């Protein structure tokens, strides 16, 4: 089936550093989304991207929808302790198709 | 307001037993989704309901898995003859009625952690 390749798998950074993670796919997606998941909770939507080339910000988070529609990145600037968690990219394949395909996740750990 | 709730939060069962997992979506959300998340992986789609009907069940791994949503609100995921490989967190999500074929944000519940011994 469709797969999203997300990297890196894990990151260990110092508080205040910037973070970058990305996702690639062999399939074209109409929509890319970035979620964050904390222990014992379901994923929470951070940013949604709807157009190829689109660059969207949400506070310290910035994400881009690749021009080929096969990739996306998420940047977090000036990381803080509450940024700790697992970040997932997800894609929606076609218009009207509501199934989401998720990447394997990037586990972010922050040293204070 | 209340988010998506799932019960039980944890379920331990023995191989071969039958289990039911329940999902209460956000009030007014007509779309409901089930995903399965294995340890260290992202969620994998199982099935999606629009109202009472299953609009896409392509993610159900085999015929031991079945889901219903008889009144268009609460949904139950049913697993027969459980196997150790069924152990995972089962996540439910709901979203508002679709508009123009685009994506409506899926709000996830906390999940049910199923352990098959």
């Amino acid at each position: 089936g469709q797969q999203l390749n997300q990297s890196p798998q894990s990151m260990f950074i110092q508080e205040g550093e910037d973070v970058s993670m990305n996702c690639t796919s062999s399939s074209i997606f109409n929509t890319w989304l970035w979620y964050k998941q904390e222990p014992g909770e379901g994923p929470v939507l951070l940013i949604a991207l709807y157009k190829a080339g689109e660059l969207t910000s949400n506070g310290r988070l910035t994400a881009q929808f690749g021009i080929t529609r096969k990739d996306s990145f998420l940047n977090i600037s000036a990381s803080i302790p509450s940024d700790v968690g697992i970040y997932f990219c997800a894609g929606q394949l076609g218009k009207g198709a509501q199934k989401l395909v998720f990447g394997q996740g990037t586990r972010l750990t922050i040293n204070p | 307001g209340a988010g998506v709730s799932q019960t039980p939060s944890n379920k331990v069962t023995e191989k071969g037993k039958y289990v039911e997992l329940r999902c209460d979506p956000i009030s007014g959300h007509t779309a409901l989704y089930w995903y399965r998340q294995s340890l260290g992986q992202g969620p994998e789609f199982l099935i999606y309901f629009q109202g009472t009907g299953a609009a896409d069940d392509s993610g159900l791994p085999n015929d031991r898995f079945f889901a219903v949503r008889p009144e268009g609100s609460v949904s139950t995921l049913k697993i027969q003859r459980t196997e150790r490989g069924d152990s995972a967190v089962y996540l439910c999500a709901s979203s508002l009625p679709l508009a123009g074929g685009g994506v409506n944000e899926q709000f996830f519940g906390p999940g049910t952690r199923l352990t098959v011994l």
Side-chain angles (χ1 to χ4, degrees):
Chain A
Q2 296 87 13
Q3 281 192 323
L4 296 185
N5 297 310
Q6 189 171 345
S7 65
Q9 288 188 327
S10 60
M11 302 184 75
F12 297 85
I13 63 168
Q14 297 292 326
E15 183 178 351
E17 287 185 10
D18 296 343
V19 171
S20 186
M21 60 191 78
N22 67 78
C23 249
T24 60
S25 171
S26 57
S27 302
I28 288 175
F29 286 93
N30 273 339
T31 303
W32 282 86
L33 307 109
W34 285 92
Y35 284 85
K36 180 187 178 188
Q37 187 175 29
E38 299 187 19
E41 302 292 330
V44 174
L45 182 66
L46 299 173
I47 289 183
L49 302 156
Y50 299 106
K51 290 183 183 177
E54 179 182 356
L55 183 72
T56 296
S57 292
N58 178 8
R60 295 179 296 106
L61 276 60
T62 302
Q64 184 156 33
F65 190 158
I67 197 74
T68 64
R69 293 195 283 159
K70 292 183 177 182
D71 63 294
S72 177
F73 72 74
L74 174 70
N75 288 342
I76 306 173
S77 63
S79 59
I80 59 178
S82 62
D83 291 335
V84 165
I86 303 177
Y87 292 79
F88 291 99
C89 59
Q92 183 202 30
L93 284 170
K95 285 191 182 295
Q98 294 305 305
K99 174 174 70 175
L100 294 181
V101 179
F102 282 84
Q104 307 98 318
T106 296
R107 181 182 294 273
L108 179 62
T109 303
I110 299 175
N111 298 317
Chain B
V4 177
S5 63
Q6 293 186 246
T7 54
S9 56
N10 280 283
K11 176 71 177 177
V12 180
T13 191
E14 293 180 342
K15 180 173 179 292
K17 299 287 189 184
Y18 168 83
V19 296
E20 290 189 351
L21 311 180
R22 177 187 165 108
C23 173
D24 279 89
I26 294 172
S27 178
H29 282 196
T30 58
L32 184 146
Y33 315 79
W34 285 99
Y35 293 84
R36 178 168 70 174
Q37 187 173 24
S38 300
L39 191 63
Q41 301 295 318
E44 285 185 316
F45 171 78
L46 295 176
I47 186 170
Y48 144 60
F49 288 89
Q50 186 62 254
T52 60
D56 182 354
D57 64 358
S58 62
L60 294 177
N62 51 60
D63 61 7
R64 295 187 298 105
F65 289 75
F66 190 72
V68 296
R69 195 186 185 200
E71 297 177 359
S73 178
V74 170
S75 177
T76 305
L77 179 66
K78 308 181 181 196
I79 311 175
Q80 297 178 317
R81 305 182 305 279
T82 52
E83 299 177 358
R84 292 197 179 88
D86 298 335
S87 296
V89 174
Y90 289 81
L91 293 165
C92 176
S94 70
S95 69
L96 287 167
L98 305 177
V103 172
N104 281 4
E105 179 178 352
Q106 296 183 21
F107 294 84
F108 283 82
T112 293
R113 181 175 297 279
L114 175 66
T115 303
V116 182
L117 301 177

